[in-house]
Amino acid sequence: MTLPTFSPIRPANIEWQDNTPVASDYDDPYFSRQDGMAESQYVFLDGNQLTERFQAMGPDQYFVIGETGFGTGLNCLLAAQRFLQQAPQSARLHLVSVEKHPLRRDDLQNALSHWPALVALAETLLNEYPAPTPGLHRLQLHPRISLTLLYGDAEQLWPLFNHPVDAWFLDGFAPACNPDMWQPALFGQLARLSHPGTTLATFTAAGFVRRGLQEAGFKIEKRKGFGHKRHMLTGTRSSASPARQQALPTVVVVGAGLAGATTARALAERGCKVIVADPAGVATQASGNLAGVVYSTPSAHLTPQNRFYQQSYGHALRWLQRHGFPSSPQQGRLNGVIQHFVDDKQKDKLIQAMASGAWPEELLRPAGEEAAELVGGGYLQPAAWCQHLLDHPAITLIQRELAQMHEGEQSRAVFTDGSVIDADAIVLCTAGSTAQLPGLSWLPLKHIRGQVSYCRATEASRQWQQARCHGGYLTPAVNDRHCVGATFNLHNPDPRPTDEDDDENLAQLKTYLPARWQELGGSDIDIVERRVAFRCQSIDFLPLCGPMPVASENPHRPARGLYLNLAHGSRGITGTPLCADLIADLICGCPLPVDQQLVDALAPDRFIVRKRRKQPEWKP
């Protein structure tokens, strides 16, 4: 399959006519001027028999709704409301919707303000509403309802989505106004993602739409339309079938750092029983620094690598907001990160990212002439974040060291104390030490030594509010200490801190932020502590996240029930939430939070595939 080329997203141009939003580019309203809510309920909810199907769901089953035009989100919110009213308490709903031109947040808020019955769900949508960047965006409307927004062209994005859909909302601007969408290619994708029992409903009864859906394999019925519309269409692949059962396995997560804590929480929130094993306890390795920065590396080029950096940044911000972290200045702040230009190359890269539209101003904006601000980023205590995530009734923490693993009907974790745990899946979140486990020495990992210097705050430095990145990074005071760092040494395995590394950190601060260096004490800066940790990074700068390959006659065969989530480098706070959701959805058999292109880019077996095909590595 030819890989799609992702482009910057152009938000919708809205003209308000009375209380109805109208798309200027299509000259078509987003919902019925007569009664938008009633039309959505009649056409999409009743047309797909959602009340009856939600009522018929059993415990722990899940239902997937696909939509071809998100618009104001009205259809999805109504479906979510109906689900909460009718489905069993343990059932789950996954909404998946494409939008080529998403509404700006202010327009969305204005549109949703007309539906007071949806206020709770609408507020959650607005709180989690993503910036207009291409690709998939996972939102959580309710603990049992997820929404995956696909921003971009439907014809490109649906082929990158690979999960069966139970009901389709075939929505969008009218075929006469938006003929590019209502094409056989789209109907073919609907059929590809459908199964026996999948239904669809649409407000239009245009002949070429009806014929196209029939040719794609749907049995189509013409019904009375809503209001002044004479007809609408409903369809099915065959007789209705029940929703699918969600796997709720027992999972062993090895490692209690950022990767392990986020993975455990993602699994627990899906109803899994999770055992987290780490001999040293919570966040004692690279995740144990006093403070870390929530940031990304913007680029104008939307390669898989750069799209992961972008999508994981927005995803991490949604996770932090959803969990109410940080909740105090001592835990950190999410008030933006200032990225100072260290040279012309970096300056040009960031200016190009802003100018291209690939990084909209909701995420990246100028901060004077020699810096840019990553909006919404910030700094936090990684260990406190890990502790917060692991505080869940479905998560058990044990201090044991993994010795080996076995795959079979169940995965078996064998620990150095002789104890054994059988589970449905094992996830290794063990960073650089993963390569020391039996059969995993082949992993293409780099171990990069970093020393951070903890400097005593001064009267002037206690006024600092934002984290700053330059050649290194500088955080506001946490426990009256600033993090200044960090060194970057690939060839030094010594875990002991050195005075020379402290000098390097302070010299870098003096070079790039001389005013801050002076406010911190200048030549009299008081270093009260220092800490060495080893970043784990892959050779292509992306994490290893997915099923673990096994050494066998077929190296592409994943080990049953064994997964990796590691090599997050210096972006652990930012990258781990998205990878955690990917791992959890793979294990539970749910729709994935990233497109297939990113699934492949993160898959641990990509290095085997690349070696065989002699493909070049991605460059940052």
Side-chain angles (χ1 to χ4, degrees):
M1 180 181 70
T2 302
L3 293 180
T5 301
F6 286 84
S7 303
I9 297 297
R10 181 169 59 85
N13 293 316
I14 299 297
E15 176 185 347
W16 287 91
Q17 297 179 5
D18 296 326
N19 290 323
T20 303
V22 177
S24 302
D25 294 339
Y26 298 94
D27 192 26
D28 204 24
Y30 278 86
F31 45 73
S32 169
R33 300 177 191 271
Q34 184 178 355
D35 190 334
M37 180 179 288
E39 180 188 45
S40 291
Q41 291 172 329
Y42 178 84
V43 173
F44 298 109
L45 276 63
D46 298 343
N48 281 288
Q49 305 98 45
L50 292 189
T51 296
E52 297 82 0
R53 294 167 79 183
F54 289 161
Q55 290 174 343
M57 292 178 70
D60 299 324
Q61 287 188 329
Y62 72 97
F63 195 95
V64 180
I65 296 175
E67 183 181 42
T68 57
F70 183 71
T72 65
L74 178 59
N75 298 336
C76 284
L77 295 184
L78 286 170
Q81 181 188 61
R82 185 72 58 89
F83 175 84
L84 293 173
Q85 292 169 344
Q86 304 295 338
Q89 288 296 315
S90 61
R92 292 175 181 265
L93 175 65
H94 298 266
L95 300 158
V96 186
S97 185
V98 166
E99 182 54 62
K100 186 175 183 179
H101 300 298
L103 271 68
R104 293 175 173 84
R105 190 181 184 282
D106 288 347
D107 286 325
L108 181 64
Q109 185 173 24
N110 192 6
L112 294 177
S113 68
H114 297 95
W115 319 117
L118 298 172
V119 62
L121 289 167
E123 286 181 356
T124 304
L125 172 60
L126 289 166
N127 287 337
E128 299 224 347
Y129 196 58
T133 60
L136 273 64
H137 305 272
R138 170 63 59 79
L139 287 64
Q140 200 73 25
L141 297 182
H142 182 273
R144 296 191 292 121
I145 304 174
S146 66
L147 167 62
T148 304
L149 287 177
L150 288 68
Y151 279 176
D153 186 83
E155 190 172 341
Q156 283 195 338
L157 289 175
W158 281 123
L160 297 178
F161 181 81
N162 292 303
H163 195 283
V165 170
D166 298 301
W168 288 102
F169 296 169
L170 187 47
D171 197 9
F173 299 118
C177 302
N178 185 25
D180 291 344
M181 190 195 88
W182 302 85
Q183 294 294 325
L186 174 63
F187 304 148
Q189 288 300 319
L190 303 189
R192 179 182 71 86
L193 295 169
S194 298
H195 61 88
T198 296
T199 62
L200 66 82
T202 180
F203 61 88
T204 184
F208 78 93
V209 172
R210 174 176 52 81
R211 292 188 294 271
L213 291 169
Q214 288 172 332
E215 290 171 2
F218 290 95
K219 181 181 178 181
I220 299 300
E221 177 184 348
K222 186 184 292 187
R223 296 178 51 189
K224 182 183 182 302
F226 175 81
H228 66 274
K229 295 182 179 179
R230 292 180 58 192
H231 298 109
M232 58 170 279
L233 300 178
T234 61
T236 183
R237 292 286 282 185
S238 68
S239 61
S241 64
R244 290 172 300 283
Q245 195 78 13
Q246 182 174 0
L248 299 176
T250 297
V251 183
V252 173
V253 175
V254 185
L258 287 163
T262 51
T263 299
R265 187 58 178 251
L267 287 161
E269 290 182 349
R270 285 160 177 76
C272 301
K273 177 183 177 182
V274 187
I275 301 164
V276 178
D278 194 309
V282 178
T284 59
Q285 300 300 317
S287 301
N289 285 343
L290 176 64
V293 180
V294 187
Y295 79 111
S296 189
T297 307
S299 171
H301 306 291
L302 293 169
T303 63
Q305 182 185 42
N306 290 327
R307 287 202 305 115
F308 172 76
Y309 294 160
Q310 182 179 74
Q311 288 188 221
S312 62
Y313 179 67
H315 197 87
L317 298 184
R318 288 192 291 277
W319 259 58
L320 289 161
Q321 177 174 285
R322 192 181 305 150
H323 288 283
F325 194 95
S327 61
S328 70
Q330 289 307 306
Q331 291 182 339
R333 289 188 180 93
L334 297 179
N335 56 356
V337 173
I338 303 300
Q339 174 66 66
H340 295 267
F341 303 149
V342 299
D343 53 35
D344 289 341
K345 180 180 179 181
Q346 186 198 41
K347 180 178 181 178
D348 290 344
K349 182 179 180 180
L350 287 166
I351 290 175
Q352 289 171 11
M354 289 184 280
S356 69
W359 278 76
E361 62 181 6
E362 291 95 328
L363 295 178
L364 184 68
R365 62 190 179 196
E369 295 184 358
E370 295 301 322
E373 180 182 359
L374 281 156
V375 181
Y379 66 100
L380 54 81
Q381 281 197 59
W385 175 223
C386 291
Q387 291 280 6
H388 180 88
L389 291 168
L390 294 172
D391 184 14
H392 189 283
I395 299 174
T396 301
L397 179 65
I398 60 174
Q399 288 190 255
R400 298 182 200 172
E401 182 178 358
L402 183 70
Q404 56 184 313
M405 302 164 296
H406 302 286
E407 58 168 328
E409 291 299 321
Q410 280 195 306
S411 299
R412 171 163 291 184
V414 181
F415 298 93
T416 55
D417 64 359
S419 62
V420 174
I421 297 178
D422 289 328
D424 299 286
I426 299 173
V427 187
L428 297 183
C429 303
T430 41
S433 63
T434 311
Q436 300 170 15
L437 292 168
L440 293 178
S441 60
W442 65 271
L443 289 172
L445 303 177
K446 298 184 289 185
H447 308 274
I448 304 167
R449 182 184 182 278
Q451 179 171 318
V452 61
S453 305
Y454 298 154
C455 302
R456 192 181 306 280
T458 65
E459 184 177 354
S461 73
R462 292 187 186 101
Q463 307 307 309
W464 299 347
Q465 299 295 312
Q466 289 179 288
R468 295 176 181 270
C469 295
H470 46 90
Y473 71 95
L474 172 68
T475 70
V478 175
N479 297 332
D480 213 41
R481 292 177 293 173
H482 299 276
C483 290
V484 180
T487 58
F488 194 94
N489 195 314
L490 180 60
H491 304 292
N492 183 0
D494 192 345
R496 295 171 297 182
T498 67
D499 293 339
E500 290 78 12
D501 280 358
D502 285 335
D503 293 341
E504 181 181 336
N505 283 333
L506 296 185
Q508 189 166 231
L509 178 64
K510 181 179 180 180
T511 297
Y512 294 114
L513 302 179
R516 300 280 165 168
W517 174 81
Q518 189 65 54
E519 289 178 333
L520 194 54
S523 57
D524 295 322
I525 291 175
D526 183 9
I527 298 176
V528 296
E529 192 180 349
R530 57 263 188 95
R531 187 175 190 273
V532 172
F534 290 84
R535 311 171 185 91
C536 174
Q537 190 174 70
S538 73
I539 58 175
D540 68 358
F541 306 100
L542 283 172
L544 277 69
C545 181
M548 184 171 68
V550 293
S552 68
E553 297 79 8
N554 180 9
H556 300 285
R557 180 180 71 83
R560 287 178 294 175
L562 303 181
Y563 296 83
L564 298 179
N565 184 4
L566 48 93
H568 291 274
S570 58
R571 300 180 180 88
I573 298 175
T574 306
T576 50
L578 181 56
C579 286
D581 274 333
L582 174 56
I583 289 289
D585 284 337
L586 285 168
I587 290 173
C588 294
C590 299
L592 302 184
V594 295
D595 59 72
Q596 189 61 46
Q597 191 182 95
L598 286 189
V599 172
D600 295 340
L602 297 170
D605 71 356
R606 67 187 185 268
F607 300 103
I608 300 171
V609 173
R610 183 175 303 136
K611 182 177 180 180
R612 289 191 169 192
R613 297 179 183 173
K614 298 182 179 180
Q615 295 175 343
E617 294 182 10
W618 291 304
K619 298 298 182 182

